[in-house]
Amino acid sequence: MGNKKFNIAVAGATGAVGNQMLACLEERKFPVKSIKLLASSRSAGKKLRFKGDLLTVEELKEDSFKGMDIALFSAGGGTSERFAPCAAGDGCVVVDNSSAWRMNEDVPLVVPEVNPHAVAGYTKKGIIANPNCSTIQMVAALSPLHKEYKIKRIVVSTYQAVSGTGKKAVDELADQTRAVLNFMDCKNRVYPHRIAFNCLPHIDSFLDNGYTKEEMKMVNETRKILEDDTIPITATTVRVPVFYGHSESVNIETCKPIAAVDVKKMFENQPGILLVDDPDNNVYPLAIDAAGQDLTLVGRIRDDESVENGINMWIVADNIRKGAATNAVQIAELLAMEYL
Ligand code: A2P
């Protein structure tokens, strides 16, 4: 990145992902010249720590981005829809974590290990979209397999942590768990049903085809990132009582012959991937191990004995880090290094 330093804005800095974005910028030693923390008017005046300094949160406004180089957004779809164009209009490149811009054909959708070249398309709208958390970890693992074996079909079921819904959902799982264990009444504020000691096959809203938006995000975003509109993909997304770390059962069929033993070898040397696959010693990817770090863990790799060329695997990553904040900061690094 040379010696250049950048003026960075974080929209949604008080949220679960926004907070982690600050931590990632610090951890990864992003060349920050100045940092501006933005959130709703409710949070204006709050203090947050960055590199040892206490910084004051400001209310996000249309003119918040004047003089800024890069804005990391994680303040919800409506906020991104309204304010990302304001930032871009002021010459500040937006890396947006919401779903508002992901499928816009003038907005690149980027996982740096998979399609870094797509960043170049930021010039069209001044916006780059960060994919959905479940999509990021799945394509991180599947992209090398697609290159080598050409994937013919993907079937995925997810087991997603509550932190993906935001801070309020993390509190809800903790409160409900405490309530159930103390034989007290549970209140459902964030989800339509109790999440403690339960699984909800319902993430985001339902669409006319019976799938949820989350499920269709996995279908459409995967195709866009792998630059292959023809791959058949079907998804079932489930919220589970886990705080951090999304797990996924993924089944693929490929055009070329594929074997679990070769897939394991391939995952030994993939950037961003950690092979965790020693079932004889009870070693496989776990949400509690994925949480707090940036690698995508892959394991339980098996030949699918029900089809000719098929593989089953279990993919786990920290949804707030690689699934959101880290991926966004990696995109910002690419931008800073190669384009700004
Ligand atoms: P605030 O804390 O002021 O509500 P999470 O997903 O963890 O709930 O976080 C959402 C983030 O998006 C928070 O930083 C929140 O700020 C911010 N946010 C939500 N609505 C707005 C809005 N209308 N304008 C600016 N920031 C918003």
Side-chain angles (χ1 to χ4, degrees):
M1 275 177 261
N3 293 325
K4 204 168 165 198
K5 292 192 168 185
F6 300 86
N7 297 315
I8 305 290
V10 178
T14 51
V17 173
N19 238 291
Q20 186 59 48
M21 284 168 161
L22 293 176
C24 284
L25 289 167
E26 194 172 332
E27 274 172 29
R28 299 174 68 92
K29 300 191 170 49
F30 192 93
V32 174
K33 193 197 291 175
S34 74
I35 192 143
K36 195 179 223 184
L37 309 183
L38 302 165
S40 76
S41 55
R42 298 178 291 273
S43 300
K46 253 193 192 169
K47 306 266 185 203
L48 293 178
R49 203 167 278 284
F50 182 72
K51 286 191 178 168
D53 296 329
L54 272 181
L55 306 178
T56 306
V57 176
E58 297 171 39
E59 180 182 355
L60 172 58
K61 293 194 180 142
E62 285 172 6
D63 64 359
S64 295
F65 302 97
K66 286 198 180 358
M68 296 287 115
D69 300 306
I70 300 175
L72 304 175
F73 268 68
S74 192
T79 307
S80 293
E81 233 162 83
R82 177 164 165 218
F83 291 99
C86 304
D90 279 333
C92 167
V93 184
V94 173
V95 180
D96 181 33
N97 189 52
S98 82
S99 59
W101 298 95
R102 288 179 191 152
M103 295 312 296
N104 185 303
E105 61 182 29
D106 292 331
V107 173
L109 185 64
V110 179
V111 178
E113 295 88 346
V114 178
N115 61 340
H117 54 273
V119 167
Y122 84 90
T123 49
K124 291 187 198 146
K125 269 210 177 316
I127 302 171
I128 302 173
N130 205 40
N132 166 268
C133 42
S134 304
T135 308
I136 290 177
Q137 65 185 71
M138 185 171 81
V139 296
L142 294 190
S143 152
L145 297 177
H146 189 48
K147 276 192 199 122
E148 185 74 22
Y149 300 98
K150 188 150 175 45
I151 294 176
K152 201 158 74 177
R153 181 169 185 243
I154 303 171
V155 181
V156 54
S157 300
T158 69
Y159 305 68
Q160 297 184 217
V162 294
S163 51
T165 316
K167 268 185 180 164
K168 285 190 194 104
V170 171
D171 293 342
E172 178 143 312
L173 175 57
D175 292 345
Q176 290 184 348
T177 304
R178 219 174 288 119
V180 173
L181 292 176
N182 287 292
F183 307 102
M184 287 157 65
D185 280 345
C186 270
K187 296 208 170 52
N188 305 326
R189 293 194 178 90
V190 177
Y191 300 115
H193 307 280
R194 198 180 87 196
I195 183 64
F197 307 98
N198 204 6
C199 298
L200 310 179
H202 174 184
I203 299 184
D204 208 331
S205 45
F206 283 99
L207 297 165
D208 288 345
N209 65 358
Y211 287 83
T212 60
K213 275 192 186 165
E214 185 82 352
E215 288 160 350
M216 294 317 294
K217 282 177 211 165
M218 291 197 78
V219 172
N220 297 322
E221 293 180 20
T222 298
R223 288 178 177 155
K224 181 166 174 176
I225 299 162
L226 294 181
E227 295 168 354
D228 187 340
D229 281 341
T230 62
I231 304 182
I233 305 169
T234 189
T236 303
T237 57
V238 182
R239 190 72 68 191
V240 296
V242 166
F243 286 108
Y244 294 97
H246 288 356
S247 305
E248 300 178 340
S249 161
V250 178
N251 174 271
I252 57 163
E253 281 180 66
T254 55
C255 294
K256 294 191 192 159
I258 190 166
V261 49
D262 297 325
V263 172
K264 285 183 203 176
K265 261 192 216 122
M266 182 176 248
F267 282 136
E268 277 169 7
N269 289 307
Q270 286 304 323
I273 301 284
L274 182 67
L275 178 69
V276 183
D277 203 2
D278 181 12
D280 290 345
N281 290 305
N282 302 332
V283 172
Y284 27 75
L286 296 174
I288 54 173
D289 294 334
Q293 55 84 60
D294 287 325
L295 296 170
T296 297
L297 315 186
V298 186
R300 296 295 325 279
I301 297 166
R302 289 148 289 155
D303 292 311
D304 175 353
E305 296 174 345
S306 73
V307 291
E308 203 180 337
N309 298 314
I311 291 286
N312 282 307
M313 68 191 97
W314 184 247
I315 303 172
V316 185
D318 184 322
N319 54 299
I320 299 295
R321 294 183 67 115
K322 182 57 189 168
T326 306
N327 201 72
V329 172
Q330 285 176 308
I331 293 172
E333 285 170 355
L334 272 176
L335 253 177
M337 232 177 329
E338 299 192 21
Y339 299 95
L340 299 184

